[in-house]
């Protein structure tokens, strides 16, 4: 395995562990908070995550376009990530609007 492949694998493992830890934290939060407080907390967390993602998105695209010609594969992967994130945000807000948001 090359150093690049090993580094990529290590990064993916780290992200998977981080995902699992965050899922557990949210499960604990959902179990311990009143539903109205939980929804407010989830909205605040989603806004923070969106802000962090938009900053990373801007840095990623700036980096990709610093090169004379960004690789098609890298550019398409970045676009797919951004579209997926946008879809998740839209789904989250629609879920709040029509399913779980208190009246």
């Amino acid at each position: 395995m090359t150093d690049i492949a090993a580094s990529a694998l290590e990064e993916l493992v780290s992200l998977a562990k981080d995902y699992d830890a965050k899922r557990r934290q949210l499960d604990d939060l959902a179990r311990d908070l009143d539903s109205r407080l939980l929804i407010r907390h989830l909205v605040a967390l989603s806004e923070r995550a969106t802000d962090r993602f938009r900053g990373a998105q801007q840095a990623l695209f700036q980096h990709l376009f610093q090169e004379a010609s960004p690789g098609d594969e890298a550019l398409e992967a970045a676009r797919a990530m951004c579209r997926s994130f946008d879809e998740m945000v839209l789904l989250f807000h629609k879920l709040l609007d029509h399913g779980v948001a208190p009246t």
Side-chain angles (χ1 to χ4, degrees), residues 58-75:
Q58 181 180 7
L60 175 63
F61 279 103
Q62 283 176 347
H63 178 73
L64 283 171
F65 286 103
Q66 280 178 350
E67 299 178 19
S69 172
D72 289 341
E73 193 173 288
L75 190 54

Side-chain angles (χ1 to χ4, degrees), residues 26-66:
L26 284 173
D27 287 346
D28 292 344
L29 189 68
R31 186 176 46 253
D32 296 340
L33 280 182
D34 169 71
S35 64
R36 288 181 187 267
L37 289 174
L38 176 63
I39 289 170
R40 279 192 244 143
H41 195 74
L42 291 176
V43 169
L45 288 173
S46 73
E47 289 173 1
R48 185 182 75 183
T50 300
D51 289 346
R52 287 191 344 231
F53 181 84
R54 295 297 180 216
Q57 180 183 41
Q58 181 180 7
L60 175 63
F61 279 103
Q62 283 176 347
H63 178 73
L64 283 171
F65 286 103
Q66 280 178 350

Side-chain angles (χ1 to χ4, degrees), residues 1 3-16:
M1 185 180 295
D3 287 343
I4 293 172
S7 295
L9 183 59
E10 288 174 14
E11 191 64 33
L12 289 171
V13 168
S14 175
L15 289 169

